[in-house]
Coordinates of all heavy atoms in Angstrom, one line a residue:
A1 N 37.7 -166.1 -106.6 CA 37.1 -166.9 -105.6 C 36.8 -168.3 -106.2 O 36.7 -168.4 -107.4 CB 35.8 -166.3 -105.1
D2 N 36.6 -169.3 -105.4 CA 36.4 -170.6 -105.9 C 35.1 -170.7 -106.7 O 34.2 -169.9 -106.5 CB 36.3 -171.6 -104.8 CG 36.5 -173.0 -105.3 OD1 37.4 -173.3 -106.1 OD2 35.6 -173.9 -104.9
I3 N 35.0 -171.6 -107.7 CA 33.9 -171.6 -108.5 C 32.6 -172.0 -107.8 O 31.5 -171.6 -108.2 CB 34.1 -172.7 -109.7 CG1 33.0 -172.5 -110.8 CG2 34.1 -174.1 -109.1 CD1 33.3 -173.2 -112.0
D4 N 32.7 -172.6 -106.6 CA 31.6 -172.9 -105.8 C 31.2 -171.9 -104.7 O 30.4 -172.1 -103.9 CB 31.7 -174.3 -105.1 CG 32.9 -174.3 -104.1 OD1 33.6 -173.3 -104.0 OD2 33.0 -175.4 -103.4
G5 N 31.9 -170.7 -104.8 CA 31.6 -169.6 -104.0 C 32.4 -169.5 -102.7 O 32.2 -168.6 -101.9
A6 N 33.4 -170.4 -102.5 CA 34.2 -170.4 -101.3 C 35.3 -169.3 -101.3 O 35.9 -169.1 -102.4 CB 34.9 -171.7 -101.0
F7 N 35.5 -168.6 -100.2 CA 36.6 -167.6 -100.1 C 37.0 -167.5 -98.7 O 36.3 -168.0 -97.8 CB 36.1 -166.3 -100.7 CG 35.0 -165.6 -99.9 CD1 35.3 -164.7 -98.9 CD2 33.7 -166.0 -100.1 CE1 34.3 -164.1 -98.2 CE2 32.7 -165.4 -99.3 CZ 33.0 -164.5 -98.4
E8 N 38.2 -166.9 -98.5 CA 38.6 -166.7 -97.1 C 39.5 -165.5 -97.0 O 40.0 -165.0 -98.0 CB 39.4 -167.9 -96.6 CG 40.6 -168.3 -97.4 CD 41.2 -169.7 -97.0 OE1 42.0 -169.6 -96.0 OE2 40.8 -170.7 -97.6
G9 N 39.7 -165.0 -95.8 CA 40.6 -163.8 -95.6 C 40.5 -163.3 -94.2 O 40.2 -164.0 -93.3
Y10 N 40.8 -162.0 -94.0 CA 40.8 -161.4 -92.7 C 39.8 -160.3 -92.7 O 39.8 -159.4 -93.5 CB 42.2 -160.8 -92.4 CG 43.2 -161.9 -91.9 CD1 44.0 -162.5 -92.9 CD2 43.3 -162.3 -90.6 CE1 44.9 -163.5 -92.5 CE2 44.2 -163.3 -90.2 CZ 44.9 -163.9 -91.2 OH 45.8 -164.9 -90.8
A11 N 38.9 -160.4 -91.7 CA 37.8 -159.4 -91.5 C 38.3 -158.2 -90.6 O 37.7 -157.2 -90.6 CB 36.6 -160.0 -91.0
S12 N 39.4 -158.5 -89.9 CA 40.0 -157.4 -89.0 C 41.4 -157.8 -88.7 O 41.8 -159.0 -88.7 CB 39.2 -157.4 -87.7 OG 39.7 -156.5 -86.8
L13 N 42.2 -156.8 -88.6 CA 43.6 -156.9 -88.2 C 43.9 -156.3 -86.8 O 43.4 -155.2 -86.5 CB 44.6 -156.2 -89.2 CG 44.6 -156.8 -90.6 CD1 45.5 -156.0 -91.5 CD2 45.0 -158.3 -90.6
F14 N 44.6 -157.1 -86.0 CA 44.9 -156.6 -84.7 C 46.0 -155.5 -84.7 O 46.9 -155.5 -85.6 CB 45.3 -157.7 -83.8 CG 44.3 -158.7 -83.5 CD1 44.6 -160.1 -83.5 CD2 43.0 -158.4 -83.4 CE1 43.7 -161.1 -83.3 CE2 42.0 -159.4 -83.1 CZ 42.3 -160.7 -83.1
H15 N 46.0 -154.6 -83.8 CA 47.0 -153.6 -83.6 C 47.2 -152.6 -84.7 O 48.2 -152.0 -84.9 CB 48.4 -154.3 -83.3 CG 48.4 -155.2 -82.1 ND1 48.1 -154.8 -80.8 CD2 48.7 -156.5 -82.1 CE1 48.2 -155.8 -80.0 NE2 48.5 -156.9 -80.7
R16 N 46.1 -152.5 -85.6 CA 46.2 -151.7 -86.8 C 45.1 -150.6 -86.7 O 44.0 -150.9 -86.7 CB 46.0 -152.5 -88.0 CG 46.0 -151.7 -89.3 CD 47.4 -151.2 -89.7 NE 47.3 -150.4 -90.9 CZ 48.4 -149.8 -91.4 NH1 49.6 -150.0 -90.9 NH2 48.2 -149.1 -92.5
A17 N 45.5 -149.4 -86.6 CA 44.6 -148.3 -86.5 C 43.9 -148.1 -87.8 O 44.5 -148.1 -88.9 CB 45.3 -147.0 -86.1
D18 N 42.6 -147.9 -87.8 CA 41.8 -147.7 -89.0 C 41.7 -146.2 -89.2 O 42.2 -145.4 -88.4 CB 40.5 -148.4 -89.0 CG 39.5 -148.0 -87.9 OD1 39.7 -146.9 -87.4 OD2 38.6 -148.8 -87.6
L19 N 40.9 -145.7 -90.1 CA 40.7 -144.3 -90.4 C 40.0 -143.6 -89.4 O 40.0 -142.3 -89.4 CB 40.1 -144.1 -91.8 CG 40.9 -144.7 -93.0 CD1 40.2 -144.4 -94.3 CD2 42.3 -144.1 -93.0
T20 N 39.3 -144.3 -88.5 CA 38.6 -143.6 -87.3 C 39.4 -143.7 -86.1 O 38.9 -143.4 -85.0 CB 37.2 -144.2 -87.1 OG1 37.4 -145.6 -86.7 CG2 36.4 -144.2 -88.4
R21 N 40.7 -144.1 -86.2 CA 41.6 -144.2 -85.0 C 41.2 -145.3 -84.0 O 41.5 -145.2 -82.8 CB 41.8 -142.9 -84.3 CG 42.4 -141.8 -85.2 CD 42.6 -140.5 -84.4 NE 43.1 -139.5 -85.3 CZ 43.4 -138.2 -84.9 NH1 43.1 -137.9 -83.6 NH2 43.9 -137.4 -85.7
D22 N 40.5 -146.3 -84.5 CA 40.2 -147.5 -83.6 C 41.2 -148.6 -83.9 O 41.6 -148.8 -85.0 CB 38.8 -148.0 -84.0 CG 37.7 -147.3 -83.2 OD1 38.0 -146.4 -82.4 OD2 36.5 -147.5 -83.5
I23 N 41.6 -149.2 -82.8 CA 42.5 -150.3 -82.8 C 41.9 -151.5 -82.1 O 41.4 -151.4 -81.0 CB 43.9 -150.0 -82.1 CG1 44.6 -148.8 -82.9 CG2 44.8 -151.2 -82.1 CD1 45.8 -148.3 -82.2
I24 N 41.7 -152.6 -82.8 CA 41.2 -153.8 -82.2 C 42.3 -154.7 -81.7 O 43.3 -155.0 -82.3 CB 40.3 -154.6 -83.2 CG1 39.1 -153.7 -83.7 CG2 39.8 -155.9 -82.6 CD1 38.2 -154.4 -84.7
L25 N 42.1 -155.1 -80.4 CA 43.2 -155.9 -79.7 C 42.8 -157.4 -79.8 O 41.7 -157.8 -79.9 CB 43.2 -155.5 -78.3 CG 43.6 -154.0 -78.1 CD1 43.6 -153.7 -76.6 CD2 44.9 -153.6 -78.7
P26 N 43.9 -158.2 -79.7 CA 43.7 -159.7 -79.7 C 42.7 -160.1 -78.5 O 42.8 -159.5 -77.4 CB 45.1 -160.3 -79.5 CG 46.0 -159.2 -80.0 CD 45.3 -157.9 -79.7
G27 N 41.8 -161.0 -78.8 CA 40.9 -161.4 -77.7 C 39.6 -160.6 -77.8 O 38.6 -161.0 -77.1
A28 N 39.5 -159.6 -78.6 CA 38.3 -158.8 -78.6 C 37.1 -159.5 -79.1 O 36.0 -159.2 -78.6 CB 38.5 -157.6 -79.5
F29 N 37.3 -160.5 -79.9 CA 36.1 -161.3 -80.5 C 35.9 -162.6 -79.7 O 34.9 -163.3 -80.0 CB 36.4 -161.6 -81.9 CG 36.6 -160.4 -82.8 CD1 37.9 -160.1 -83.2 CD2 35.6 -159.6 -83.3 CE1 38.1 -159.0 -84.0 CE2 35.8 -158.5 -84.1 CZ 37.1 -158.2 -84.4
R30 N 36.7 -162.9 -78.7 CA 36.7 -164.3 -78.1 C 35.3 -164.6 -77.5 O 34.7 -165.7 -77.8 CB 37.8 -164.4 -77.1 CG 37.9 -165.8 -76.5 CD 39.0 -165.8 -75.5 NE 40.3 -165.4 -76.1 CZ 41.1 -164.5 -75.6 NH1 40.8 -163.8 -74.5 NH2 42.3 -164.3 -76.2
K31 N 34.8 -163.8 -76.7 CA 33.5 -164.0 -76.0 C 32.4 -164.2 -77.1 O 31.5 -165.1 -77.0 CB 33.2 -163.0 -75.0 CG 32.0 -163.2 -74.2 CD 31.8 -162.1 -73.1 CE 30.7 -162.4 -72.2 NZ 29.4 -162.3 -72.9
S32 N 32.4 -163.3 -78.0 CA 31.3 -163.2 -79.0 C 31.3 -164.5 -79.8 O 30.3 -165.1 -80.1 CB 31.5 -162.0 -79.9 OG 30.4 -161.9 -80.8
L33 N 32.5 -165.0 -80.2 CA 32.6 -166.2 -81.0 C 32.2 -167.4 -80.2 O 31.6 -168.3 -80.8 CB 34.1 -166.3 -81.6 CG 34.5 -165.3 -82.6 CD1 35.9 -165.5 -83.0 CD2 33.6 -165.3 -83.8
A34 N 32.6 -167.4 -79.0 CA 32.2 -168.6 -78.1 C 30.7 -168.7 -78.0 O 30.2 -169.8 -77.9 CB 32.9 -168.4 -76.8
E35 N 30.1 -167.5 -77.9 CA 28.6 -167.5 -77.7 C 27.8 -167.8 -78.9 O 26.8 -168.6 -78.9 CB 28.2 -166.2 -77.1 CG 28.7 -165.9 -75.7 CD 28.3 -164.5 -75.2 OE1 27.8 -163.7 -76.1 OE2 28.4 -164.2 -74.0
R36 N 28.3 -167.3 -80.1 CA 27.5 -167.4 -81.3 C 28.0 -168.5 -82.2 O 27.3 -169.2 -82.9 CB 27.5 -166.1 -82.1 CG 26.7 -165.0 -81.4 CD 26.4 -163.9 -82.4 NE 25.5 -163.0 -81.8 CZ 25.8 -161.9 -81.2 NH1 27.1 -161.6 -81.0 NH2 24.9 -161.1 -80.7
G37 N 29.4 -168.6 -82.3 CA 29.9 -169.5 -83.3 C 29.7 -168.9 -84.7 O 29.0 -168.0 -84.9
P38 N 30.4 -169.5 -85.7 CA 30.3 -168.9 -87.1 C 28.9 -168.9 -87.6 O 28.5 -168.0 -88.4 CB 31.3 -169.8 -87.9 CG 31.5 -171.0 -87.1 CD 31.4 -170.6 -85.7
K39 N 28.1 -169.9 -87.3 CA 26.8 -170.0 -87.8 C 25.9 -168.9 -87.3 O 24.8 -168.6 -87.9 CB 26.1 -171.4 -87.5 CG 26.9 -172.6 -88.1 CD 26.9 -172.5 -89.7 CE 27.5 -173.7 -90.3 NZ 27.6 -173.7 -91.7
G40 N 26.2 -168.4 -86.1 CA 25.4 -167.3 -85.6 C 25.8 -165.9 -86.0 O 25.2 -164.9 -85.5
I41 N 26.8 -165.8 -86.8 CA 27.2 -164.5 -87.4 C 26.9 -164.4 -88.8 O 27.3 -165.3 -89.6 CB 28.7 -164.3 -87.1 CG1 29.0 -164.3 -85.6 CG2 29.2 -163.0 -87.8 CD1 30.5 -164.4 -85.3

């Protein structure tokens, strides 16, 4: 990670089943992100 603490990546992948058999679809986060923005998460 950067020396000043910056990092980036993917917190979720679409169309990929996890170990609990859940699949997150594109658009699933859209409303939440519009309401909160990154500062609210």
Side-chain angles (χ1 to χ4, degrees):
D2 195 50
I3 194 168
D4 65 355
F7 65 96
E8 59 187 276
Y10 283 90
S12 177
L13 293 179
F14 297 141
H15 303 299
R16 176 74 183 180
D18 64 22
L19 298 182
T20 65
R21 297 182 180 178
D22 275 355
I23 298 173
I24 297 181
L25 302 180
F29 302 101
R30 186 179 298 129
K31 184 174 184 293
S32 185
L33 293 177
E35 291 176 350
R36 287 196 174 93
K39 297 298 184 184
I41 296 170

